[in-house]
Amino acid sequence: GENVEQHPSTLSVQEGDSAVIKCTYSDSASNYFPWYKQELGKRPQLIIDIRSNVGEKKDQRIAVTLNKTAKHFSLHITETQPEDSAVYFCAASYSGYSTLTFGKGTMLLVSP
Amino acid sequence: EAQVTQNPRYLITVTGKKLTVTCSQNMNHEYMSWYRQDPGLGLRQIYYSMNVEVTDKGDVPEGYKVSRKEKRNFPLILESPSPNQTSLYFCASKGLTEAFFGQGTRLTVV
């Protein structure tokens, strides 16, 4: 089955800095890669996703890049703000009605 | 409003006392899943269901049961809970892409 590795497990940045979280996947058949944000005490919620036919996708201060050859994808957050502090999970699946495999998560701490 | 509803939100129980955590979704999704979340271990899949009457084991199925008699409901059953099942549990349903999570159930087994 699919295996998703996520790094780093913890990331501390100053407000205004950029943050990058990286994930690798094992199954070359995976073609859908979402990122979820989980604020303290809340449920995970989708913030951005990318399909394998796209190399990069942006939504305001967040972007995701995908390298299919190397089987890795990354989340980039620019101009970080304290409200970006949360746990971020990457995931991979074969699109369609298939299961999502999650990475172990990255706790992002943004200090004012 | 599209939502996944779990109950209860919090549960403290004793070892060996059977319990059920309910999960219901209103999005007509065929796929539903249960995860447990523990510090440092991320979201680990317990069981999933691709459709009514179809369930499969995830990564950590031991000690859990599920059923899918109706499309909207996917209860998680702990027949004989043990302290190592103390965790935060999430139910999720998924269409073609995005997964929607329930509010979570924090279970403590003493």
Side-chain angles (χ1 to χ4, degrees):
Chain A
E2 176 65 275
N3 182 51
V4 177
E5 300 282 340
Q6 183 172 348
H7 299 280
S9 56
T10 306
L11 179 58
S12 295
V13 301
Q14 291 290 121
E15 183 176 1
D17 288 350
S18 294
V20 180
I21 303 170
K22 299 182 179 182
C23 289
T24 60
Y25 61 99
S26 61
D27 189 348
S28 56
S30 290
N31 58 10
Y32 174 66
F33 307 94
W35 286 88
Y36 286 79
K37 176 183 181 182
Q38 185 182 27
E39 296 176 350
L40 190 62
K42 301 278 184 70
R43 73 190 83 186
Q45 291 191 290
L46 181 72
I47 54 170
I48 194 167
D49 57 12
I50 191 167
R51 295 177 184 275
S52 60
N53 59 347
V54 175
E56 182 176 0
K57 184 177 178 180
K58 292 183 74 171
D59 183 2
Q60 299 182 336
R61 295 187 297 108
I62 61 173
V64 57
T65 58
L66 171 66
N67 182 326
K68 284 191 299 182
T69 304
K71 289 192 278 188
H72 66 70
F73 56 113
S74 300
L75 178 71
H76 304 254
I77 306 174
T78 59
E79 300 172 25
T80 54
Q81 300 167 4
E83 52 265 39
D84 294 328
S85 295
V87 178
Y88 292 81
F89 292 99
C90 63
S93 80
Y94 180 76
S95 70
Y97 300 103
S98 65
T99 197
L100 274 174
T101 301
F102 286 89
K104 286 186 166 46
T106 296
M107 179 176 290
L108 174 64
L109 302 169
V110 182
S111 304
Chain B
E1 181 192 353
Q3 59 185 4
V4 178
T5 304
Q6 278 178 244
N7 280 297
R9 292 290 310 277
Y10 303 92
L11 180 58
I12 301 174
T13 190
V14 296
T15 299
K17 185 176 181 182
K18 181 179 179 180
L19 67 91
T20 299
V21 184
T22 63
C23 175
S24 181
Q25 51 99 0
N26 64 359
M27 294 166 279
N28 202 37
H29 286 162
E30 293 183 342
Y31 176 93
M32 297 185 74
S33 181
W34 277 101
Y35 298 89
R36 63 177 287 173
Q37 185 175 18
D38 302 289
L41 298 177
L43 291 161
R44 293 183 293 168
Q45 191 175 58
I46 302 170
Y47 269 95
Y48 65 97
S49 170
M50 302 291 275
N51 212 329
V52 175
E53 302 292 0
V54 179
T55 62
D56 279 298
K57 295 178 180 179
D59 299 318
V60 288
E62 294 77 21
Y64 305 95
K65 284 177 59 177
V66 293
S67 69
R68 189 87 183 275
K69 295 186 172 64
E70 311 163 275
K71 187 181 259 192
R72 65 182 289 120
N73 295 322
F74 190 44
L76 179 69
I77 303 155
L78 285 73
E79 295 266 1
S80 183
S82 62
N84 64 11
Q85 293 178 297
T86 292
S87 187
L88 177 60
Y89 291 85
F90 285 102
C91 176
S93 75
K94 177 177 169 292
L96 279 174
T97 52
E98 181 177 358
F100 293 84
F101 286 83
Q103 320 94 299
T105 296
R106 187 165 292 281
L107 172 66
T108 302
V109 184
V110 298

